Amino acid sequence: MISLFRLLTFCLPLFLTTSGMAERELWKVGVSSETVTPNGPMWMAGYAGRTRPSEGKTHDLFVKALALQSADGTRMVFVTSDLISVPRPIRDTLEKQVAEKFGLSPDELMINCSHTHCGPEIRTTRWALDGLPPERLQAATEYAEFLQRTLLKVVGDALVDSSPAKVSYCRARCGFAMNRRTPSPTGFRNFPNPDGPVDHDVPVLRIDTPEGKLRAVMFGYACHNTTLGFYKFCGDYAGFAQQYLENAHPGVTALFVLGCGGDQNPYPRRTLSLARQHGRSLSNAVETALETDAKPLPPAIKSAIGMATVDYQRPPSRDTLLQLARSTNKYERIHAERLLKQLDTEGHLRQQYDCPVQVIRFGTNLTLIALPGETVVDYSLRLKNELSIGDGSGPSVWVAGYSNDVFAYVPSRRVLLEGGYEAGGAMRYMTTVLQHGPFTPTVEERIVSKVHELIRKLVSKSSVR
Ligand SMILES: [Zn+2]
């Protein structure tokens, strides 16, 4: 019988020669996944007009983690979720927990949500919980606690799963996202606009074993995850795309990262079969990206996170709010009542918000920017334009929205000045953070200049080394 020692001494050189890669050329990568579908009926997130709790599921909702470790031991953990939002308290708690348990710093953690409108409501803040009936309050609180525990578990599991891997970047395109802001005589309305800006890039991070077997794909797309608005739990097009990829590649984990899709919708929409079709289109785009020559990413990573302070326009007076509280529009009335309560209990309405901006550099080959809020497409188009080198020799640029704190729509200066839903009209529907109205037109510059500041910090850090 061949001894274990002989087997190991036989296999080890074989492993190194078949992979053909020395340890210093490889990353260490781990992946993990957990379902977060509520066990029973729960109120759902995304549409203010829902009138009853969920009624079953189409498929499960997941949180997933991808943990990377570079050759010098620097780590980065990406967490993705089939959920409406990343409320700041969830991110802050997870940030503390992973620092204590795993020694991760805040910049080494990125959390993104798919923004499916067929997931459970996530209520964690005072204003999101205010006035809920006791039963709904209890269900929301228990779910938030369960989610928090599960997020910590996926991060821990992904770190434990760590094994040598190759990481590369590729991309393709997918066309079902369309701009949803159409000018009309009464302002911009939510309607497909074939002339509006779009970002059809599908960036893909591919993870292979040293021998070249696919282990995971993390892919992005800039489009609201809103084909559906029914009463079943469902990951919508992003959920189907991940499901199709995992079915086609058994053992592979597929993670979806939502881009700057604040003003983009999937069209056509409203039926389950369309959600499946869009999911298929996106999974096909990822398959196509996997067929291209992927750009190898040597095992080097640096990340930085910082706060961009954005200002709100002048708040309404108490008299105006009292008037609005008598409005015949239910949503306007409720918003005014909540703001009056905020004024009474806190003494003032919000004037500023500090939102997290994150930059992750994969050596000099790929820069991933994670923006907060429901960022509109102008951000990804602008940043890709400003950060890419025209001849393709510079770093590829991947811009994610809906990351680390989804507190409001984040319009560009253009969208803000045009007005409409994403410009500030949606503020009355925001539950997690109570906000009275639009940001000032400086919002875009505050966020973009923070991105550039963080990149400069990372570049100077690398050149010092
Ligand atoms: Zn949205």
Side-chain angles (χ1 to χ4, degrees), residues 46 84 115 117 180 224-226 261-262 374 402 406 409 421 430:
I84 188 74
H115 199 50
H117 282 42
R180 68 179 199 185
H224 251 80
N225 205 6
T226 48
E374 301 202 40
Y402 295 79
V406 181
Y409 277 89
Y421 189 76
M430 297 290 143

Side-chain angles (χ1 to χ4, degrees), residues 29 72 158 228 274 424 428:
V29 178
D72 70 359
L228 296 166
L274 287 168
R428 67 176 64 159

Side-chain angles (χ1 to χ4, degrees), residues 378-459:
D378 291 356
Y379 284 90
S380 65
L381 298 177
R382 174 174 174 179
L383 285 165
K384 280 194 265 195
N385 188 37
E386 287 181 359
L387 299 170
S388 298
I389 296 174
D391 63 1
S393 62
S396 301
V397 180
W398 177 341
V399 187
Y402 295 79
S403 297
N404 298 316
D405 183 1
V406 181
F407 61 104
Y409 277 89
V410 179
S412 59
R413 181 182 168 82
R414 173 185 69 83
V415 168
L416 197 127
L417 294 176
E418 284 174 356
Y421 189 76
E422 297 84 358
M427 283 301 195
R428 67 176 64 159
Y429 304 108
M430 297 290 143
T431 48
T432 304
V433 182
L434 182 55
Q435 298 152 98
H436 59 79
F439 298 112
T440 63
T442 56
V443 59
E444 180 178 333
E445 280 318 306
R446 296 280 176 84
I447 289 175
V448 169
S449 60
K450 183 55 74 173
V451 170
H452 285 289
E453 181 194 315
L454 294 173
I455 289 176
R456 280 196 301 275
K457 182 176 152 190
L458 289 179
V459 170

Side-chain angles (χ1 to χ4, degrees), residues 134-461:
E135 218 174 282
R136 189 168 165 186
L137 178 70
Q138 191 187 344
T141 307
E142 283 173 6
Y143 185 79
E145 286 167 3
F146 158 74
L147 179 62
Q148 195 78 62
R149 286 194 303 275
T150 311
L151 287 168
L152 181 62
K153 182 173 188 320
V154 284
V155 173
D157 289 352
L159 289 167
V160 168
D161 184 53
S162 176
S163 63
K166 292 189 290 185
V167 178
S168 53
Y169 173 77
C170 48
R171 70 188 181 104
R173 286 186 185 158
C174 183
F176 64 81
M178 196 166 182
N179 195 289
R180 68 179 199 185
R181 289 172 49 81
T182 297
S184 81
T186 52
F188 278 77
R189 64 185 181 125
N190 194 327
F191 192 78
N193 178 2
D195 298 319
V198 293
D199 178 2
H200 283 165
D201 267 358
V202 179
V204 179
L205 198 69
R206 68 174 289 168
I207 314 296
D208 292 278
T209 65
E211 295 77 22
K213 188 175 180 301
L214 190 66
R215 267 182 76 196
V217 284
M218 187 170 86
F219 61 102
Y221 196 51
C223 182
H224 251 80
N225 205 6
T226 48
T227 319
L228 296 166
F230 63 4
Y231 282 80
K232 286 185 192 302
F233 291 124
C234 179
D236 209 293
Y237 78 77
F240 284 114
Q242 293 171 87
Q243 184 184 319
Y244 295 150
L245 288 163
E246 291 181 354
N247 289 348
H249 303 273
V252 165
T253 305
L255 303 95
F256 174 75
V257 172
L258 183 52
C260 299
D263 53 350
Q264 311 288 305
N265 260 354
Y267 291 113
R269 55 203 288 250
R270 299 286 180 220
T271 70
L272 186 56
S273 93
L274 287 168
R276 288 199 174 101
Q277 282 183 43
H278 297 325
R280 179 58 73 192
S281 298
L282 185 53
S283 73
N284 282 348
V286 175
E287 297 283 6
T288 306
L290 295 176
E291 285 187 14
T292 65
D293 281 333
K295 189 192 234 183
L297 301 176
I301 199 160
K302 290 277 174 291
S303 52
I305 195 164
M307 293 295 164
T309 302
V310 291
D311 296 331
Y312 295 94
Q313 291 177 19
R314 184 193 290 270
S317 67
R318 182 181 289 275
D319 283 349
T320 308
L321 289 176
L322 286 168
Q323 233 170 32
L324 291 169
R326 291 193 293 272
S327 168
T328 50
N329 179 312
K330 175 180 144 192
Y331 300 110
E332 195 165 62
R333 193 177 68 240
I334 293 171
H335 188 219
E337 285 166 357
R338 283 156 60 81
L339 291 170
L340 282 167
K341 209 166 175 182
Q342 187 179 37
L343 203 51
D344 288 341
T345 53
E346 295 176 9
H348 57 87
L349 302 179
R350 276 190 175 276
Q351 291 170 321
Q352 290 184 322
Y353 192 84
D354 289 336
C355 55
V357 172
Q358 188 174 25
V359 172
I360 300 141
R361 289 186 92 226
F362 293 74
T364 52
N365 289 339
L366 171 66
T367 304
L368 196 160
I369 294 150
L371 299 178
E374 301 202 40
T375 332
V376 299
V377 78
D378 291 356
Y379 284 90
S380 65
L381 298 177
R382 174 174 174 179
L383 285 165
K384 280 194 265 195
N385 188 37
E386 287 181 359
L387 299 170
S388 298
I389 296 174
D391 63 1
S393 62
S396 301
V397 180
W398 177 341
V399 187
Y402 295 79
S403 297
N404 298 316
D405 183 1
V406 181
F407 61 104
Y409 277 89
V410 179
S412 59
R413 181 182 168 82
R414 173 185 69 83
V415 168
L416 197 127
L417 294 176
E418 284 174 356
Y421 189 76
E422 297 84 358
M427 283 301 195
R428 67 176 64 159
Y429 304 108
M430 297 290 143
T431 48
T432 304
V433 182
L434 182 55
Q435 298 152 98
H436 59 79
F439 298 112
T440 63
T442 56
V443 59
E444 180 178 333
E445 280 318 306
R446 296 280 176 84
I447 289 175
V448 169
S449 60
K450 183 55 74 173
V451 170
H452 285 289
E453 181 194 315
L454 294 173
I455 289 176
R456 280 196 301 275
K457 182 176 152 190
L458 289 179
V459 170
S460 67
K461 228 188 200 176

